């Protein structure tokens, strides 16, 4: 554990000891937490600071009242000019804008309020065979987080929802899909995976560079199946028919990830997992891993200034940070959010996000469900795919009988608000226009409260880092999984420690021969599968 000491100076103020560190990180978002855990595991002296009083940064989870207060704070910040006297980390708030709240603040007791764990970075899911699960195992952070399987995924096409199959058996059980389409789908997946396994990107040659949508058209499959593969399996987001942008090689990698994840933790189970207590538990799991390895954690501690040193024939170096208390702490390397030094956040990716609290489930027999809307499937949403994720109380994120509905779409029109972007999808899911066999005679849920907002993810190229020993990690992007943040964290770690291994095994190994961590995750997931009928 960390050996933090708080001593008092001559004026009676507390002073942090020790005062020099190998690595200082500002903000406890998932990216910073990953770098901190990897550095601490490699024996570095790590100090992790956050101006906020809770962990998570842009990745944190809030209570219902906490979400309402957060929305008010963002609105206040957007409506007042900055005075130039902000601390270093405060610019991270500029990531958020255009906040709108519908419905009155819920009247909840403190105990009821604590039943809510509402993610700011949602919808986000973990592939069963993806980088997040492997990183949790390699780091040992899997001991501090639990998962539940996603129960179903649906694609909106031709004014109806079709189920995205989670297994071969599920394909052939689907009564809504013609037999010829089932065979066409399974044949394509089998042939595509066999070709991808046998051929590297070089061996695929020009075929790998062909556009994925063109290859699908050549098969003669109907557009409904093309959409299922492009947006339900490969999880693309742009209008590939209008502007093809995904090559066959990239699509095959995405499809292989999906297929490898299906059934990973049990026959008939889908490709995705959800974290209990929300995704805000993930940064905390890695922070806890770092603390066990000796990292020092201090919340509610703002940094007023970064300190630099000019060296002859070398780039300027960051040598420390000055706290609001005036104390100076030395560092050899520094990690910050990319928003800290971004000159124009709006030049990057703009995501319209929303979260709704519902009084019932959209589907009668499924609580954890992903809904995907391809481009052009909903009027005035031609260029990007939208995603909506419903989560119920069995994930410990809301009270029994209530549900959270997360929505996100990449915003391509600056004048369009997040609410304007997302409300059509809410109305479709919760309104009478919802058309699904599973929802026949099922009462549609009511939206009790909703918050819509834009998240401006800075283009890394617009973040000009002032020193060579500073690295940055981005806020959550528009992808459905956690691959981007893990890749950024690994790149930051390797920038500082090129000879070290990202989450290297301990001398005796992270996992003993008798300790099957992946099996433990499987056991947790299967317990949830067997008990899900009693969960809500």
């Amino acid at each position: 554990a960390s050996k933090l000491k708080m001593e008092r100076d001559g004026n009676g103020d507390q002073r942090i000891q020790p005062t020099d560190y190998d690595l200082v990180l500002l903000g406890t978002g998932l990216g910073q937490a990953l770098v901190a855990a990897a550095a601490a595991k490699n024996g570095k002296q790590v100090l992790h600071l956050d101006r906020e009083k809770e962990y998570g940064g842009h990745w944190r989870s809030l209570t219902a009242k906490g979400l309402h207060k957060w929305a008010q704070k963002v609105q206040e910040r957007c409506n007042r000019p900055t005075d130039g006297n902000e601390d270093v980390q405060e610019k991270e708030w500029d990531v958020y804008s255009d906040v709108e709240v519908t419905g009155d603040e819920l009247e909840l007791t403190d105990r009821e309020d604590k039943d809510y764990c509402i993610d700011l970075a949602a919808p986000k899911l973990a592939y069963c065979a993806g980088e997040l699960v492997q990183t949790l195992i390699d780091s040992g952070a899997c001991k501090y987080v639990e998962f539940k399987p996603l129960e179903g995924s649906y694609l909106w096409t031709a004014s109806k929802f079709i189920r995205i199959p989670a297994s071969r058996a599920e394909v052939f059980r689907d009564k809504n899909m013609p037999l010829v389409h089932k065979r066409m789908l399974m044949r394509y997946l089998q042939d595509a995976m066999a070709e991808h396994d046998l051929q590297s990107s070089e061996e695929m040659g020009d075929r790998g560079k062909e556009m994925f949508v063109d290859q699908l058209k050549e098969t003669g499959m109907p557009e409904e199946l093309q959409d299922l593969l492009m947006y339900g399996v490969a999880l693309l987001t742009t209008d590939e028919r209008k502007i093809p942008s995904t090559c066959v090689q990239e699509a095959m990698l995405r499809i292989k990830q999906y297929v490898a994840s299906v059934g990973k933790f049990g026959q008939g189970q889908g490709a995705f997992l959800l974290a209990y207590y929300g995704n805000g538990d993930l940064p905390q799991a890695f922070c806890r891993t770092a603390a066990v390895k000796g990292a020092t954690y201090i919340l509610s501690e703002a940094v007023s200034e970064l300190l630099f040193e000019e060296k002859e024939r070398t780039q300027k170096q960051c040598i420390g940070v000055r706290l609001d208390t005036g104390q100076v702490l030395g560092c050899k390397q520094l990690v910050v959010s990319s928003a800290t030094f971004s000159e124009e956040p709006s030049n990057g990716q703009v995501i319209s996000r929303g979260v709704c609290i519902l009084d019932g489930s959209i589907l009668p027999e499924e609580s954890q469900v992903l809904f995907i809307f391809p481009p052009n499937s909903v009027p005035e949403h031609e260029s990007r795919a939208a995603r909506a994720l419903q989560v119920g109380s069995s994930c410990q994120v809301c009270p029994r009988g209530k549900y959270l509905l997360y929505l996100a779409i990449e915003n391509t029109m600056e004048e369009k608000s997040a609410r304007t972007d997302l409300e059509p999808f809410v109305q479709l899911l919760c309104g009478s226009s919802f058309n699904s066999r599973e929802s026949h005679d099922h009462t549609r849920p009511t939206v009790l409260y909703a918050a819509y907002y834009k998240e401006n993810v800075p283009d890394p190229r617009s973040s000009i880092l002032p020193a060579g020993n500073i690295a940055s990690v981005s806020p959550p992007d528009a992808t459905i999984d956690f691959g981007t943040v893990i890749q950024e964290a690994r790149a930051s770690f390797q920038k500082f420690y090129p000879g070290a291994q990202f989450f290297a095994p301990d001398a005796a190994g992270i996992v003993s021969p008798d300790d099957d961590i992946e099996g433990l995750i499987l056991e947790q997931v299967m317990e949830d599968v067997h008990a899900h009928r009693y969960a809500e």
Side-chain angles (χ1 to χ4, degrees):
S2 57
K3 299 178 180 179
L4 172 67
K5 294 182 180 179
M6 301 292 286
E7 299 180 352
R8 295 189 181 276
D9 60 16
N11 298 321
D13 295 328
Q14 286 189 328
R15 311 285 288 183
I16 297 172
Q17 295 291 339
T19 58
D20 292 290
Y21 296 87
D22 295 317
L23 177 65
V24 172
L25 306 98
L26 304 186
T28 52
L30 182 54
Q32 293 98 318
L34 282 160
V35 179
K41 193 168 182 58
N42 276 272
K44 306 301 178 183
Q45 194 164 16
V46 175
L47 174 64
H48 208 158
L49 302 170
D50 200 322
R51 70 187 303 275
E52 305 297 334
K53 62 182 180 181
E54 60 272 304
Y55 289 90
H58 298 125
W59 296 84
R60 67 184 178 274
S61 301
L62 301 170
T63 65
K65 290 182 179 179
L67 176 66
H68 193 75
K69 291 177 181 177
W70 173 87
Q72 290 177 326
K73 185 173 181 178
V74 173
Q75 289 172 330
E76 291 170 2
R77 181 171 176 83
C78 291
N79 293 331
R80 67 173 173 83
T82 57
D83 56 13
N85 295 319
E86 299 177 326
D87 62 63
V88 173
Q89 205 184 331
E90 192 167 353
K91 194 175 180 182
E92 292 181 17
W93 280 88
D94 293 340
V95 164
Y96 303 111
S97 63
D98 190 32
V99 176
E100 289 187 70
V101 171
T102 66
D104 297 327
E105 182 181 5
L106 299 179
E107 295 184 2
L108 304 169
T109 65
D110 289 344
R111 183 167 183 173
E112 291 171 334
D113 186 46
K114 290 179 180 178
D115 286 339
Y116 285 95
C117 295
I118 302 173
D119 294 336
L120 289 180
K124 286 281 186 184
L125 297 166
Y127 278 105
C128 293
E131 280 195 280
L132 178 64
V133 170
Q134 190 60 51
T135 303
L136 286 165
I137 293 170
D138 292 343
S139 65
C142 55
K143 293 178 288 188
Y144 309 122
V145 65
E146 296 183 38
F147 290 97
K148 187 175 183 67
L150 186 72
E151 294 173 13
S153 301
Y154 293 85
L155 185 82
W156 179 255
T157 179
S159 299
K160 67 179 184 300
F161 275 110
I162 60 172
R163 190 176 179 92
I164 301 169
S167 66
R168 178 187 177 91
E170 195 168 294
V171 170
F172 288 98
R173 281 201 306 267
D174 190 342
K175 298 179 180 179
N176 295 324
M177 185 182 293
L179 181 60
V180 64
H181 291 176
K182 295 176 182 179
R183 290 174 175 169
M184 192 177 292
L185 175 63
M186 293 307 304
R187 187 183 305 116
Y188 178 84
L189 289 174
Q190 291 167 355
D191 292 347
M193 288 301 94
E195 180 180 18
H196 184 273
D197 288 340
L198 291 172
Q199 296 180 325
S200 66
S201 57
E202 291 78 11
E203 292 170 333
M204 288 189 75
D206 291 339
R207 180 165 178 77
K209 298 176 183 177
E210 291 177 6
M211 290 295 101
F212 181 43
V213 64
D214 293 334
Q215 186 201 59
L216 293 178
K217 290 177 181 177
E218 290 173 4
T219 65
M221 67 175 61
E223 288 194 355
E224 183 175 295
L225 282 188
Q226 293 178 30
D227 283 348
L228 190 149
L229 286 166
M230 286 192 292
Y231 302 107
V233 177
L235 293 170
L236 305 180
T237 59
T238 59
D239 187 350
E240 295 291 326
R241 292 193 181 90
K242 184 176 181 180
I243 306 177
S245 59
T246 305
C247 67
V248 171
Q249 178 65 21
E250 179 184 348
M252 290 302 103
L253 289 173
R254 288 170 171 267
I255 292 174
K256 185 177 182 181
Q257 170 96 332
Y258 184 92
V259 172
S261 295
V262 169
K264 173 76 172 178
F265 294 118
Q267 186 176 0
Q269 296 308 305
F272 295 107
L273 300 172
L274 301 92
Y276 269 91
Y277 304 102
N279 290 329
D281 251 28
L282 294 172
Q284 293 190 61
F286 287 105
C287 288
R288 188 171 179 182
T289 301
V292 168
K293 292 297 181 180
T296 298
Y297 279 82
I298 306 177
L299 302 183
S300 301
E301 189 70 72
V303 172
S304 61
E305 183 183 4
L306 302 183
L307 305 176
F308 298 95
E309 178 181 68
E310 297 280 0
K311 292 186 177 181
E312 293 184 9
R313 300 180 183 177
T314 61
Q315 187 179 7
K316 184 167 63 172
Q317 297 288 299
C318 178
I319 59 172
V321 299
R322 189 187 307 277
L323 306 182
D324 266 2
T325 59
Q327 183 179 4
V328 172
L329 299 173
C331 68
K332 296 177 182 177
Q333 285 95 20
L334 178 72
V335 176
V336 297
S337 166
S338 60
T340 303
F341 297 115
S342 177
E343 295 298 324
E344 298 182 54
S346 60
N347 282 351
Q349 188 180 59
V350 181
I351 307 166
S352 292
R353 295 194 188 275
V355 57
C356 304
I357 298 176
L358 309 179
D359 66 354
S361 177
I362 294 170
L363 295 178
E365 296 181 356
E366 292 179 313
S367 299
Q368 283 63 243
V369 190
L370 177 66
F371 301 97
I372 300 172
F373 302 86
N376 290 303
S377 63
V378 174
E380 299 184 11
H381 291 80
E382 294 85 7
S383 61
R384 294 291 186 273
R387 293 162 181 153
L389 174 67
Q390 178 188 275
V391 188
S393 62
S394 58
C395 277
Q396 308 300 320
V397 295
C398 58
R400 188 180 297 272
K402 301 295 189 293
Y403 296 80
L404 301 181
L405 178 65
Y406 296 110
L407 305 103
I409 187 172
E410 189 174 349
N411 182 285
T412 57
M413 299 177 63
E414 186 177 351
E415 65 275 11
K416 183 181 283 189
S417 69
R419 179 178 176 181
T420 303
D421 243 351
L422 296 172
E423 266 196 335
F425 303 105
V426 176
Q427 292 167 359
L428 193 153
L429 289 166
C430 300
S432 58
S433 60
F434 187 101
N435 181 19
S436 169
R437 175 174 54 85
E438 287 82 0
S439 63
H440 182 64
D441 294 332
H442 174 60
T443 302
R444 311 264 27 94
T446 299
V447 178
L448 303 176
Y449 180 89
Y452 302 97
Y453 53 96
K454 286 182 181 177
E455 180 195 351
N456 304 278
V457 182
D459 185 334
R461 293 169 294 185
S462 70
S463 300
I464 303 174
L465 302 177
N469 64 336
I470 297 179
S472 66
V473 288
S474 299
D477 65 2
T479 59
I480 194 72
D481 68 333
F482 299 88
T484 302
V485 65
I486 294 173
Q487 292 164 14
E488 284 191 352
R490 183 184 290 111
S492 295
F493 175 82
Q494 292 173 345
K495 174 183 177 179
F496 295 152
Y497 315 113
Q501 185 178 345
F502 194 59
F503 294 122
D506 294 330
I510 295 177
V511 184
S512 70
D514 299 324
D515 189 8
D516 180 9
I517 294 295
E518 193 167 279
L520 178 61
I521 296 177
L522 169 59
E523 183 180 336
Q524 294 169 352
V525 171
M526 292 310 296
E527 285 178 359
D528 290 329
V529 171
H530 296 317
H532 87 278
R533 70 182 64 181
Y534 309 109
E536 302 298 343

